[in-house]
Amino acid sequence: MWSILVWLAGSKIGRLVLGVAIIGFFFVGFRIWLAAHDASVARQATAEMVTKFERDAIASQLATERRLHAEANRAAAEATARAAATQKANDAANAEVERLLAEAAKNGKLSRPTEEDRLWLDQH
């Protein structure tokens, strides 16, 4: 092998062939390095894109959670208002029953509600 290299180095054509081989070797090596480097850059860029995607997905989920939380708060406030109105109506109905009982107690000719009547009113 060494003798072939010495023989090639001794002639102009051999030196040309060796020079082209060395240049080709460096060129191919550079191309291999460049492909590996490009792949590394592509992996890094893709990793950043996945991070941006995840960030956007989490931001969207957070916006949805905030919207649902606001709707739940609104619904709870409405339910509280309805409960207060129902309690007020119940208190008014009980006051009316008490008024009617007091009126009936004064007049002996009027009928009086029984316990069954009161239970029926409470259920309906």
Side-chain angles (χ1 to χ4, degrees):
M1 174 84 161
W2 185 253
S3 62
I4 295 174
L5 288 176
V6 171
W7 174 77
L8 284 174
S11 68
K12 289 184 178 182
I13 294 177
R15 284 189 291 238
L16 179 67
V17 169
L18 283 176
V20 168
I22 290 171
I23 291 172
F25 175 76
F26 283 117
F27 180 75
V28 169
F30 176 74
R31 293 295 296 214
I32 292 171
W33 173 83
L34 186 60
H37 177 71
D38 288 347
S40 172
V41 169
R43 275 192 305 275
Q44 184 179 6
T46 303
E48 289 179 12
M49 287 173 53
V50 169
T51 301
K52 289 178 185 177
F53 171 75
E54 289 173 349
R55 182 195 66 207
D56 293 345
I58 290 172
S60 174
Q61 183 180 6
L62 179 62
T64 302
E65 293 288 333
R66 285 182 177 161
R67 181 180 53 80
L68 291 174
H69 186 262
E71 288 178 11
N73 285 341
R74 183 184 49 78
E78 289 175 0
T80 302
R82 283 193 311 271
T86 301
Q87 184 63 40
K88 187 176 178 182
N90 189 27
D91 291 344
N94 287 337
E96 180 67 13
V97 167
E98 293 299 324
R99 186 188 67 77
L100 291 174
L101 282 174
E103 185 180 317
K106 291 178 189 175
N107 189 349
K109 295 179 183 178
L110 296 176
S111 66
R112 290 174 178 71
T114 65
E115 189 61 34
E116 290 177 7
D117 294 336
R118 289 181 188 179
L119 287 174
W120 185 88
L121 282 174
D122 285 342
Q123 293 174 358
H124 297 92

